[in-house]
Amino acid sequence: MATIYDVARQAQVSPATVSRVLNGRTTVDPVMAARVHQAMQDLDYRPNAVARNLRLSQTSLWAVIISDIGNPFFTSMVRGVEDVAQSAGYSVVLCNSDEDPEKESRYIAAALAERMAGVIISTSGRSTVINRLVEARIPVVAIDRQLRGVTIDTVLVDNVHGAGLATTHLLDNGYERVACITGPRRISTAAQRLRGYQRALRARGREATDALVRYADFREEGGYRAMASLLDSDNPPDSVFATNNLMTVGAVECLVDRGIRVPDEVGVVGFDDIPWAHLVRPSLSTVSQPTYDLGRAAAVLLTERIANPSRLPSTVTLSTGLQVRDSSTRPS
């Protein structure tokens, strides 16, 4: 591989001049700079990224740490991040924590070691790992999930409102015993969606009983097991609100395996608008959230944080909506 000294020899300038051109200095004579650029092209020269990172104390990379790469929710979200990053001159490194706090901690350590320019994270719920980034002065934005004990830029959706829409819709369609399958207690989205479900029940004079609530893992298997547990209870529900897309799939699979008809016997509403939700039969009613805009908003906040590190942290909350389809509408 060509070195800076090869470029200097080819361009008939000093290595120091080549270095100034590489670093974008405007004090280099334009004729000399043109010779340097031509020499780099002729020799197919590539700057040493590691050495450059050491000089600048950071890379031009963002780490995007998501909790489950298998969840379609994150596909559109990451695209929103990447579109903003590319236009701002950054590249994105995608990391999958798998809802594992230890794996997430290792990715945080890698972001620190590699001097990432910034981090966008959908965290597993531990603020201690985020504090490591804050203390190292690496710009960080929390996305989708809120953290206690640390004040950073955050982009969320209105989970309480969305869950309330889903629950109220089921009640309006004549369902009496609305169950909720939510995620791990430590994760803010699970807690907020459960809160929205409980508020909607109380607003209609219904008891928000723990007997109709199951905590799962935001995965298909967890949704399946939670639905089975509800069906096997002494007084099973006649409808269910599942608080993410994968658990909705698992819950519906369980109902199909049990021979229970949706929506005639059990109504279903999920959270996150699955791309093929309108294609299955019955089509799935879901709470929709603007996933692409979620990613874009986080990326914009990160670019602003990089440009102005002393800016006060801010929280952006995007709206949710309800996509009513067949799975929650009983035949008249």
Side-chain angles (χ1 to χ4, degrees):
M1 292 179 63
T3 68
I4 193 172
Y5 300 101
D6 297 325
V7 174
R9 192 178 306 111
Q10 177 91 350
Q12 298 181 339
V13 298
S14 69
T17 298
V18 177
S19 179
R20 288 197 296 273
V21 172
L22 288 170
N23 289 320
R25 302 286 177 82
T26 58
T27 55
V28 181
D29 179 81
V31 175
M32 285 187 175
R35 293 211 307 264
V36 169
H37 286 298
Q38 185 61 51
M40 287 192 292
Q41 183 176 336
D42 293 342
L43 296 171
D44 195 24
Y45 172 75
R46 296 289 183 270
N48 187 322
V50 174
R52 182 178 182 274
N53 293 342
L54 289 172
R55 289 195 304 274
L56 299 180
S57 298
Q58 68 175 32
T59 68
S60 59
L61 299 175
W62 289 355
V64 178
I65 305 174
I66 60 174
S67 54
D68 183 5
I69 201 169
N71 189 332
F73 163 79
F74 289 107
T75 305
S76 179
M77 189 197 81
V78 172
R79 180 61 184 270
V81 172
E82 185 184 37
D83 284 352
V84 173
Q86 287 287 310
S87 65
Y90 294 94
S91 297
V92 170
V93 176
L94 183 60
C95 310
N96 174 43
S97 71
D98 244 349
E99 298 285 9
D100 181 349
E102 295 306 317
K103 193 174 180 182
E104 179 180 281
S105 183
R106 289 195 294 272
Y107 277 128
I108 295 292
L112 290 165
E114 297 297 328
R115 304 169 186 265
M116 294 287 185
V119 174
I120 293 175
I121 183 169
S122 174
T123 180
S124 63
R126 294 192 341 186
S127 61
T128 52
V129 293
I130 308 301
N131 280 326
R132 292 166 61 191
L133 293 170
V134 174
E135 290 164 3
R137 298 190 177 182
I138 291 183
V140 57
V141 176
I143 190 168
D144 182 47
R145 299 175 179 180
Q146 203 162 20
L147 275 170
R148 292 180 179 177
V150 59
T151 304
I152 57 174
D153 293 310
T154 305
V155 181
L156 308 167
V157 299
D158 194 340
N159 290 297
V160 174
H161 176 69
L165 289 176
T167 307
T168 301
H169 167 69
L170 288 167
L171 294 171
D172 285 345
N173 276 271
Y175 294 102
E176 296 291 333
R177 289 181 54 78
V178 182
C180 178
I181 300 174
T182 191
R185 287 177 171 86
R186 70 177 188 277
I187 295 177
S188 65
T189 49
Q192 290 163 1
R193 292 169 191 178
L194 177 61
R195 190 181 313 135
Y197 156 81
Q198 293 168 333
R199 284 185 182 178
L201 289 176
R202 294 189 186 107
R204 292 299 181 88
R206 308 296 180 91
E207 182 184 2
T209 173
D210 291 341
L212 287 173
V213 174
R214 294 294 185 274
Y215 294 89
D217 57 3
F218 280 145
R219 304 288 178 88
E220 285 183 45
E221 296 82 358
Y224 190 104
R225 290 192 299 270
M227 191 72 248
S229 173
L230 287 165
L231 294 174
D232 292 337
S233 62
D234 292 336
N235 195 2
D238 62 2
S239 57
V240 63
F241 164 51
T243 64
N244 92 325
N245 50 9
L246 297 184
M247 293 194 303
T248 305
V249 172
V252 171
E253 184 180 1
C254 178
L255 291 169
V256 170
D257 287 350
R258 297 284 186 101
I260 296 172
R261 291 172 298 149
V262 177
D264 304 65
E265 296 176 88
V266 174
V268 177
V269 179
F271 205 109
D272 302 332
D273 200 17
I274 307 166
W276 41 261
H278 64 291
L279 298 176
V280 298
R281 292 295 177 267
S283 56
L284 284 174
S285 296
T286 57
V287 176
S288 63
Q289 50 182 326
T291 50
Y292 179 83
D293 292 338
L294 197 68
R296 279 193 61 88
V300 168
L301 281 182
L302 187 57
T303 57
E304 292 175 353
R305 174 62 54 195
I306 292 170
N308 184 8
S310 60
R311 179 179 60 80
L312 291 175
S314 60
T315 297
V316 175
T317 303
L318 304 181
S319 61
T320 49
L322 181 65
Q323 300 294 325
V324 176
R325 300 188 180 97
D326 296 337
S327 68
S328 60
T329 308
R330 274 177 165 166
S332 56

